[in-house]
Amino acid sequence: MSHPALQALIGITGRSGSGKTHLLARLLPVLRAGGLAVSTIKHTHHDIDIDRPGKDSWLHRNAGAGEVMLATPGRWVLQHECPDAPPTLAELLGRMQRTDLVVVEGFHASVPACIEVYRPVLGKEPLFMRQDNIIAIATDTPGAPGLPAHLPVLDVNNTAAVARFALEHACSVQLD
């Protein structure tokens, strides 16, 4: 009898403009240099389309294909139409190859363990005030008033320290 696989997962979350993507772009090379295979999921609330009107894959999709795979010599992408409901994090993870770590940017309410990138200068309410899945704060102002005493505060500019924390605190999720 086979057992479902576990996948290590950590979230990077925060308000728009806080620097989530910049932190993630710095974390990936550090994690890879440590010998890890890392994948990412980027969630956005914006409706984007990687296709261009008139291209073959666009024509396939617009003619009714539920999925269109575009393959090149160096990569492939699978576009999946989901008209009934947006995909869940579990569904997306289930479609990915198992790896040492998946870092999720976004899906802030669905990831069991998240590091919040918080910059008080933005003037936006931090997510740690309302979400209990935030396990640490990565900020450029570690001594700022209002930071929670019960959460670790990381220097967002110390990429190696954030990477160590992420690896030590990644949660394991079950893949079906």
Side-chain angles (χ1 to χ4, degrees):
M1 177 164 102
S2 68
H3 298 284
L6 295 177
Q7 176 63 68
L9 181 75
I10 192 76
I12 302 294
T13 192
R15 298 292 184 184
S16 178
S18 62
K20 301 178 298 289
T21 301
H22 292 285
L23 174 59
L24 187 51
R26 293 191 329 266
L27 282 175
L28 288 168
V30 171
L31 295 167
R32 297 281 298 139
L36 297 173
V38 184
S39 294
T40 65
I41 296 176
K42 165 67 175 154
H43 180 259
T44 181
H45 294 287
H46 306 289
D47 189 24
I48 64 156
D49 195 341
I50 63 171
D51 262 341
R52 291 194 320 246
K55 291 296 187 182
D56 293 350
S57 54
W58 183 89
L59 292 169
H60 295 185
R61 226 180 69 231
N62 282 279
E67 288 189 327
V68 176
M69 183 175 290
L70 180 61
T72 71
R75 72 184 48 88
W76 61 269
V77 62
L78 176 63
Q79 297 181 85
H80 177 89
E81 295 297 306
C82 43
D84 299 327
T88 65
L89 179 59
E91 289 169 337
L92 296 172
L93 284 168
R95 290 188 167 265
M96 295 180 81
Q97 266 186 288
R98 190 165 180 323
T99 188
D100 295 321
L101 179 67
V102 174
V103 183
V104 179
E105 181 183 340
F107 277 109
H108 60 85
S110 303
V111 180
C114 290
I115 299 170
E116 179 177 2
V117 180
Y118 174 61
R119 296 186 193 270
V121 72
L122 294 177
K124 298 177 181 177
E125 181 184 62
L127 297 173
F128 65 75
M129 301 284 278
R130 300 189 188 274
Q131 290 183 214
D132 59 4
N133 62 335
I134 307 290
I135 62 169
I137 309 300
T139 184
D140 56 356
T141 52
L147 292 175
H150 69 285
L151 292 175
V153 177
L154 308 168
D155 180 349
V156 74
N157 296 310
N158 187 339
T159 308
V162 176
R164 274 192 306 278
F165 185 90
L167 283 174
E168 291 170 7
H169 295 88
C171 61
S172 292
V173 295
Q174 184 170 309
L175 301 177
D176 295 326

